[in-house]
Amino acid sequence: MTFDDVKAIALRLPGVEASIRYDGSEVLKAGGSFMAGIATDESAEADTLVVRCEPDDRDLMLEDAPDTYYLTDFYAKYPLVLVRLSEVSEDALRDLLSVSRKMALDKARR
């Protein structure tokens, strides 16, 4: 799985757009709010996707699939989860992006 694969799945969701961050990295947004992107902090492994995620859901994901999902101290303070693109299935990614989209839209409405 690559970020191009992630982008192709995400752009099929209503209201999702690709954008470029201030640091030049590509991200996905919904309603103008961050939804997903490649993790850019040095604490993250290479080819890691960062997506919005409710903290309670994140705890379950980290427990159930630690080979796929993880967290670093840098990202722990945000409602995000780190996803190893080499390990995530397309179905799981589709679900993650759908939840992340909803969270981004909720944030944009506030």
Side-chain angles (χ1 to χ4, degrees), residues 14-15 30-33 100-110:
S33 290
S100 184
R101 175 188 164 272
K102 182 183 179 317
M103 289 179 69
L105 290 172
D106 288 347
K107 180 178 181 178
R109 287 186 194 114
R110 283 186 246 137

Side-chain angles (χ1 to χ4, degrees), residues 6-103:
V6 173
K7 189 166 56 169
I9 292 167
L11 291 176
R12 291 186 205 125
L13 298 170
V16 175
E17 61 186 15
S19 183
I20 303 294
R21 279 182 17 149
Y22 63 90
D23 65 0
S25 62
E26 201 169 11
V27 296
L28 299 165
K29 293 183 175 186
S33 290
F34 174 84
M35 185 180 128
I38 293 295
T40 56
D41 187 75
E42 63 187 26
S43 66
E45 298 170 14
D47 298 321
T48 292
L49 184 70
V50 57
V51 296
R52 286 186 180 276
C53 182
E54 294 291 349
D56 289 343
D57 295 336
R58 177 178 71 190
D59 291 344
L60 292 172
M61 294 162 64
L62 295 171
E63 185 177 319
D64 289 345
D67 291 340
T68 304
Y69 307 105
Y70 72 103
L71 205 52
T72 67
D73 289 342
F74 177 82
Y75 292 99
K77 56 191 167 207
Y78 304 105
L80 304 167
V81 69
L82 299 171
V83 183
R84 292 180 179 97
L85 288 175
S86 61
E87 299 294 327
V88 71
S89 71
E90 188 171 330
D91 287 340
L93 181 60
R94 201 175 284 113
D95 290 344
L96 279 170
L97 292 171
S98 180
V99 169
S100 184
R101 175 188 164 272
K102 182 183 179 317
M103 289 179 69

